[in-house]
Amino acid sequence: MKKLIIFSLTLLAIGCTGDFEQVVDFKDVENPNLSEQSVVGQPNSASIWLSGLERQLGLVFNETLVLAELGSDNYVNTQTFFNQFMDGLEIQITDPDMRDTQRQIQRLRELAVFGLETVGPGDPNYNTEIEAEFNYFEGLAYLFSAMYFSALPQEPVGVPITATEHYQNAIVAFDAALALNAKPEYHLAKARANYYLGNKSAAVAAATQALALSGDFDRIVLFDQANGPSNTFENALYQRATFDDLQPLPTLDFLDPKYSFLSTSQDAPVHYLKAEEAYLILAEAALSDNDIVAARANMTALLDLIDTREVRTIDDSIEQRSQVDEGSRPDSDDIVVNGRAGLVLDRQSGDVDVPSVSGTSLTEADITAMQDDDAGLALLYRTRQEVFIAEGLRFVDMGVKLVIDENEILLNENINEGDLGTVPVIPSFIAAIVSDLDAINYTPGSGVATTVLDLNAILVANKTSDSVVPFE
């Protein structure tokens, strides 16, 4: 297919005469407001470029969050205008969302590299703080490449490199940022890369260093409601009104919608690197070392932190929890889900309180009873799911990977269909249960609901797989 396209383009080029260049000479088209000279060498251009990187990060999350959350068991997509394939993990190279997700991540990388190599050095007001941020954003691009893809090029039309290599590149970039300006989120980003690599000691060290700098840090992606980009997933969860249907598992109902309307100028932010993750990494490492005392201590610290996070009181009465048929999903606070009460909110009786940063059903009693066994590990993963809902991490914890898009395959001579990165990665124990990932059993009026699966128990049961539970 690729050869046929290249051959056709060659024939087209041969068939064109010299007059074609006179008809459309792109070399003569120049916008003086968008030229390289309008940026490079100008005072404060580095800080302006950094603002552009922050904006680009918002575009990255607008792509990754929708795909990752729909592909996880967090939400079921019954009739929304968002991706129609991911809910069933139909990951296809022809899906334009694959193209857009890949491009936004790669654009983030190229913007960061250009900032480091060109914009920063040319700015008389360039400083180490901004340089550190450029390194950090480059590291984020590698981190997201590894989290969501099994392989991606690390340069335009380059040879794809593995997720492992992207994680390693991310660590190098985060170390460069830390050498210039130590921030807790830099340490946590490094901890996350090491966590997914299974480098327990390095992940623990980085998570510990992050918390030593701040026990409650929270790095966010800002969105601009007026000028864009706005938070696409907030649109999916809250502003979509009633004409479509995106529903969380009943076990996660009390955490939805994580994002809701703020103002006409500011949209809800995404909290993407926060201290909670460091405590969870430390607790999981302690469990793998059979150190239940340390595991409980970190889970207690996590619970204490969550108690300090913002809880928003919102009117969510427009949300009918209908899934096409009115009353077909749990929608009352007296409903017991999987034997547990208090997980479902009654949105029709008044305003509801929903955590906007982190929330959990974890209790002190749960922590006290926790043991360094599979049940304890499943509890930790249930807590991870709750704390990181609508942040794109559950999909990664499931071990699923997206694919390089068709355009890249056709135009990049280093890639052919069937290569690593062009075929979706779905662990066999996930592929076998895809149809039941979001399934529930509920009879309206019964007061009882159950999820068909306990995916946390399934992940733990398969902890020896290289795809999930990285410390085992």
Side-chain angles (χ1 to χ4, degrees), residues 23 47 63 77 84 95 117 119 134 161 176 194 233 239 279 300 374 390 406 410 419 428-429:
V23 176
S47 62
E63 297 297 337
N77 183 12
Q84 300 300 303
D95 186 340
E117 294 181 350
V119 178
F134 286 163
I161 66 172
N194 278 298
F233 208 62
Q239 293 198 58
Y279 287 117
T300 299
D374 282 356
E406 185 178 44
L410 293 173
D419 289 352
S428 59
F429 52 87

Side-chain angles (χ1 to χ4, degrees), residues 178 181-188 205-217 275 278-279:
L178 285 163
N181 185 28
K183 287 186 175 182
E185 61 265 34
Y186 296 175
H187 283 296
L188 180 60
T208 301
Q209 289 173 303
L211 292 173
L213 290 176
S214 171
D216 63 353
F217 65 91
Y279 287 117

